[in-house]
């Protein structure tokens, strides 16, 4: 519930703030994308540290701190009347989101048995998908009278609920012992204590202090997916207005998320029992096809069909990527693994929002969605080279269904 309300806030503002920039600040498509991009830049910068902080100081502690700043940023929008101050608050808001989302995701993974990580993280991320359907529709509803105070009041209440549920989180006792105190004790005792590898000397100053290397390959694939996906939340309402199908916007996100939720139980079990390739390859093709269908849409029916196809594909991909990032990383580096995954995913989303807006400003939304449909196909080569082929080389004979 904590994660749900946080992501609900994210999707409300990701949909409404580009319209705020366009209608109230008279910005163009690039500036509409910047309202999202600056938020993500703040998140990306803190992602470099958020995973390490979660591993070192504790999941719940960092989640509470992140959510407090998250709520404070929502309240600060009331006083951000100029574009410069607005972007500064967006930047800080993105930083708080990075810390809070890394901490809550890591807390969730700590509660799930290792043998059911795919299924458990699938259910956890399902609430993000539910926020994905409610958020854009609620954002459009709150902005229908173009009153920013109504929008911000609703967002502040939702952010407060997110903080409330964060305070109610109860981690397993065994996980609580792995947080700040145990890390400090382990470092003081030396690298051989507790059987947990601890870097010392110059090695701790390297990039691996902030990034979990084993989570990078699958996170790069997530980067490409997010780059393409950014074209939906930021520009969907403008595209449907262009094709004179404004009313279908909310229904698109409903259909998109319903497909994600409907297939989530099956997808989680497939990940835990079989190869992740059975999810990735069909999922990426469906997502790409859905984008191409969107680029050719002239009617509400075609927009909704694209939502069905994309929803199934996206629903198979996101929990698969996040569970893989955790599965491939050491248990004591789960926070860093989550931080690494979200770092690249958010970076893809932020850069995508800007460049998709640039494409739309120089051509039109149809070209933008066509490009967004071709980009995911690039991830096939990245996935095969960095993960599939590597996993096949290191597979242990006789592992049965789980052998790669």
């Amino acid at each position: 519930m904590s994660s749900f309300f946080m992501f609900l806030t994210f999707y409300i503002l990701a949909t409404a703030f580009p319209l705020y920039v366009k209608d109230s600040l008279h910005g163009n498509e690039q500036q509409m994308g910047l309202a999202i991009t600056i938020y993500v830049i703040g998140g990306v910068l803190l992602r470099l540290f958020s995973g390490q902080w979660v591993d070192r100081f504790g999941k719940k502690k960092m989640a509470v701190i992140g959510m407090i700043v998250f709520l404070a940023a929502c309240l600060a929008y009331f006083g951000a009347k100029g574009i410069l101050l607005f972007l500064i608050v967006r930047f800080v808001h993105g930083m708080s989101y990075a810390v809070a989302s890394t901490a809550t995701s890591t807390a969730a993974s700590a509660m799930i048995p290792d043998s059911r990580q795919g299924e458990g993280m699938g259910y956890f991320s399902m609430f993000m998908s539910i926020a994905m359907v409610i958020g854009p529709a609620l954002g459009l509803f709150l902005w229908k009278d173009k009153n920013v105070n109504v929008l911000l009041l609703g967002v502040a209440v939702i952010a407060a609920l997110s903080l409330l549920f964060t305070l109610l989180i109860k981690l397993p006792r065994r996980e609580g012992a792995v947080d700040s105190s145990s890390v400090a004790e382990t470092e003081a005792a030396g690298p051989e204590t507790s059987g947990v590898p601890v870097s010392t000397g110059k090695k701790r100053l390297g990039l691996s202090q902030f990034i979990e290397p084993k989570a990078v390959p699958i996170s790069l694939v997530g980067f490409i997916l997010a780059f393409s996906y950014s074209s939906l939340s930021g520009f969907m309402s403008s595209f449907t207005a262009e094709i004179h199908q404004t009313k279908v916007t909310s229904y698109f996100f409903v259909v998109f998320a319903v497909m994600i939720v409907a297939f989530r139980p099956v997808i989680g079990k497939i990940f835990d029992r079989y190869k992740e390739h059975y999810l990735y390859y069909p999922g990426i093709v469906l997502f790409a096809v859905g984008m191409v269908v969107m680029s050719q849409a002239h009617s509400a029916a075609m927009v909704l069909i694209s939502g069905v196809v994309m929803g199934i594909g996206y629903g198979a991909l996101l929990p698969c990527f996040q569970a893989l990032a955790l599965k491939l990383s050491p248990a004591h580096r789960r926070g860093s693994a989550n931080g690494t995954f979200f770092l690249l995913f958010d970076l893809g989303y932020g850069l995508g929002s800007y460049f998709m807006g640039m494409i739309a400003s120089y051509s039109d939304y149809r070209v933008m969605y066509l490009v967004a449909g071709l980009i995911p196909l690039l991830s096939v080569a990245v996935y095969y080279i960095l993960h599939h082929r590597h996993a096949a080389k290191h597979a242990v004979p006789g592992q049965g269904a789980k052998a790669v």
Side-chain angles (χ1 to χ4, degrees):
M1 295 305 297
S2 170
S3 180
F4 166 74
F5 284 116
M6 177 182 63
F7 279 104
L8 183 61
T9 301
F10 172 82
Y11 283 110
I12 287 173
L13 296 182
T15 303
F17 269 166
L19 298 176
Y20 168 68
V21 171
K22 178 182 179 181
D23 297 335
S24 298
L25 302 180
H26 309 291
N28 56 28
E29 285 83 357
Q30 285 182 328
Q31 291 168 329
M32 289 168 64
L34 188 61
I36 299 173
T37 302
I38 196 69
Y39 179 95
V40 176
I41 290 174
V44 166
L45 290 178
L46 258 288
R47 290 287 186 202
L48 290 170
F49 307 96
S50 62
Q52 182 194 28
W53 290 343
V54 169
D55 288 333
R56 185 176 182 85
F57 300 114
K59 305 170 185 66
K60 182 171 180 178
K61 182 185 294 184
M62 295 310 302
V64 171
I65 292 173
M67 289 297 184
I68 289 174
V69 180
F70 190 86
L71 173 58
C74 290
L75 295 173
Y77 285 122
F78 282 103
K81 302 301 182 181
I83 184 66
L84 179 60
L85 191 56
F86 169 77
L87 292 176
I88 291 174
V89 176
R90 283 297 280 166
F91 182 78
V92 174
H93 200 183
M95 295 171 73
S96 66
Y97 161 79
V99 175
S101 59
T102 299
T104 53
S105 296
T106 307
S109 69
M111 299 175 184
I112 303 167
D114 290 340
S115 61
R116 301 184 68 186
Q117 279 290 318
E119 186 177 2
M121 290 307 294
Y123 286 126
F124 173 76
S125 62
M126 181 175 70
F127 280 85
M128 183 173 69
S129 302
I130 296 173
M132 185 189 301
V133 54
I134 300 175
L138 185 55
L140 293 174
F141 174 77
L142 292 173
W143 183 247
K144 67 175 184 177
D145 295 325
K146 299 182 180 180
N147 188 330
V148 71
N149 290 325
V150 172
L151 171 68
L152 295 180
L153 179 61
V155 165
V157 171
I158 294 169
L161 287 173
S162 184
L163 173 59
L164 174 62
F165 279 102
T166 302
L167 294 170
L168 297 176
I169 292 174
K170 292 183 179 180
L171 290 171
R173 188 181 298 273
R174 61 183 177 84
E175 289 295 339
V178 179
D179 289 327
S180 57
S181 60
S182 64
V183 171
E185 291 170 3
T186 301
E187 290 178 351
E192 296 180 1
T193 306
S194 304
V196 177
V198 178
S199 313
T200 57
K202 294 183 179 180
K203 191 174 182 180
R204 288 189 59 80
L205 299 177
L207 188 60
S208 61
Q209 184 180 2
F210 309 103
I211 300 293
E212 172 48 50
K214 293 185 178 180
V216 169
I218 199 64
S219 299
L220 286 172
V221 183
F223 170 91
I224 299 173
L225 176 67
F227 194 100
S228 175
Y229 173 78
S230 67
S231 62
L232 294 178
S233 59
F235 303 99
M236 187 65 191
S237 58
S238 297
F239 171 67
T240 54
E242 186 179 87
I243 63 173
H244 309 293
Q245 299 293 338
T246 307
K247 293 182 179 179
V248 81
T249 307
S250 298
Y251 295 112
F252 168 84
F253 287 107
V254 170
V255 169
F256 186 86
V258 164
M259 291 299 102
I260 293 175
V261 173
F263 286 90
R264 186 54 51 85
V266 176
I267 287 168
K269 291 179 180 179
I270 290 175
F271 179 89
D272 287 329
R273 297 179 185 179
Y274 303 100
K275 306 172 188 178
E276 57 268 21
H277 315 321
Y278 290 121
L279 293 175
Y280 170 74
Y281 291 113
I284 202 68
V285 169
L286 286 171
F287 186 78
V289 168
M291 280 288 188
V292 173
V293 171
M294 175 71 75
S295 72
Q296 304 304 310
H298 291 276
S299 65
M302 284 192 71
V303 172
L304 294 179
I305 289 172
S306 72
V308 170
V309 178
M310 270 191 282
I312 298 172
Y314 189 84
L317 294 171
L318 185 60
C320 175
F321 292 165
Q322 191 172 2
L324 270 176
L326 294 169
K327 176 184 173 183
L328 297 173
S329 304
H332 69 286
R333 294 270 293 173
R334 278 179 172 172
S336 297
N338 258 319
T340 300
F341 174 76
F342 281 115
L343 166 67
L344 288 170
F345 193 87
D346 290 351
L347 184 61
Y349 187 88
L351 292 176
S353 297
Y354 182 77
F355 284 105
M356 289 299 170
M358 184 181 296
I359 291 171
S361 66
Y362 285 107
S363 54
D364 57 32
Y365 290 111
R366 291 191 183 280
V367 173
M368 182 192 74
Y369 281 117
L370 181 61
V371 172
L374 297 176
I375 287 175
L377 299 179
L378 297 175
S379 73
V380 174
V382 177
Y383 179 88
Y384 179 78
I385 294 171
L386 297 184
H387 177 68
H388 189 157
R389 188 172 65 177
H390 176 78
K393 287 181 180 179
H394 292 82
V396 179
Q399 281 186 327
K402 288 298 289 182
V404 182

